[in-house]
Amino acid sequence: VLEMKTLIDKNYHTIYFLSHNINFNVFLKKLSNYKNTLKLLIPVYGDMTIQVNRWTEANSNLTGWKAKLIVASIASKKQIENFVRNKQPIFVLRHPLTKEYFKPLEKKINTEITKYIYAGRISLGKNVFAMMDDFIKSSKLKQNIELNIYGNIDSIGYRFFTYSRQENIILKESNGVIKYHGQKTVKEMTKIYRDHDFFISMSTYQDEDYGLAVAQSIASGCYPILSRWGGYKDFDCSTQIETKLMSNYHLIYNRKKLIQTICNAPKADKEEMNDFTIKHFSPEAITNNLLKIIDKDYEVYSGQSSLFWKYRNLYKKNSGQPYIDIKTSPEVESVYKTVYHGYYE
């Protein structure tokens, strides 16, 4: 804070909190005397539905400041627009990829087998188990394909519904067309992606606001096969699989369409994929977009909307499981559909 004050006194009047993991409330309390001088850029990367306490506190600490909010996708922007009062400036700024993703691409090691990859968390909300089942069905219709899975098994997302815990038998028995490799380092994944043809994810995870692994895989020459959900929609690829909100409030993807896509998706031009990511996800591209955002007009933050307080009350009431009563409560149903409308529409 002392370093910030020194910079402010030297006429640096815009603060950009580089990470959504930073609790900006701590700084704003100590910089309140500069409220009429400073302008703020605050990233909201999928955390307003998770960091409920932080944004409850922000209703008093951030109100009155000239601020812009930064999100990772159009779906996330629509969500946050419903969570704040008035027309607060909200801008999309995606996460940049590191330089190692823009090195010249080498030819794939084994060209006889078409390789699919999933990398990320393995849980019910990510629909990994259903996707694996569909891939096995696809392998009976198309020869010489394999699916490699990387990531840790977790239970994130269970708090939204009363899911029963599922045994991960299919992972323990992975062999043949599906292989499970566990967690790898970021450096290892940059090489692994390059040996694959397609990245596949049917996630309908509640806060899938971007898809960093998708961007990393595209930069490595993989063509994406994605669920049409949340931040994934921004990739706007021809192989997006539609999702549907069921009467029991579970989100599903079109499994028949996925099988057809796996069997018929053409291999992409790896250089074209790499060029796409340079244009949209390179540090230079993201920096240019950030500079444009900084130059846009600021508005005084006026607090959280009534929808946020409804969500917050459900979150507190049910110990972090805001939608646990969705099947029996019209109020909970209404909150859910409004909060995630931009994700599944």
Side-chain angles (χ1 to χ4, degrees), residues 1 29 31 40 56 63 78-79 104 113 122 131 139 180 184 231 236 259-260 272 290 304 306 311 314 326 330 343:
V1 174
K29 288 177 182 177
L31 295 172
L40 308 175
T56 298
T63 296
K78 291 179 178 179
Q79 182 187 75
I113 298 176
I122 299 170
M131 179 186 72
S139 70
Y180 175 54
K184 300 294 181 182
D236 196 27
I259 293 172
Q260 293 173 347
E272 184 178 328
L290 176 59
Q304 310 304 101
S306 59
Y311 176 87
L314 291 173
I326 194 168
Y343 278 58

Side-chain angles (χ1 to χ4, degrees), residues 136-163:
I136 291 173
K137 293 176 182 177
S138 302
S139 70
K140 296 176 181 177
L141 301 172
K142 182 179 181 179
Q143 295 181 336
N144 297 324
I145 62 173
E146 73 175 35
L147 171 63
N148 292 292
I149 295 179
Y150 296 84
N152 286 330
I153 302 168
D154 67 39
S155 59
I156 296 176
Y158 284 69
R159 61 192 174 84
F160 289 99
F161 294 103
T162 54
Y163 285 127

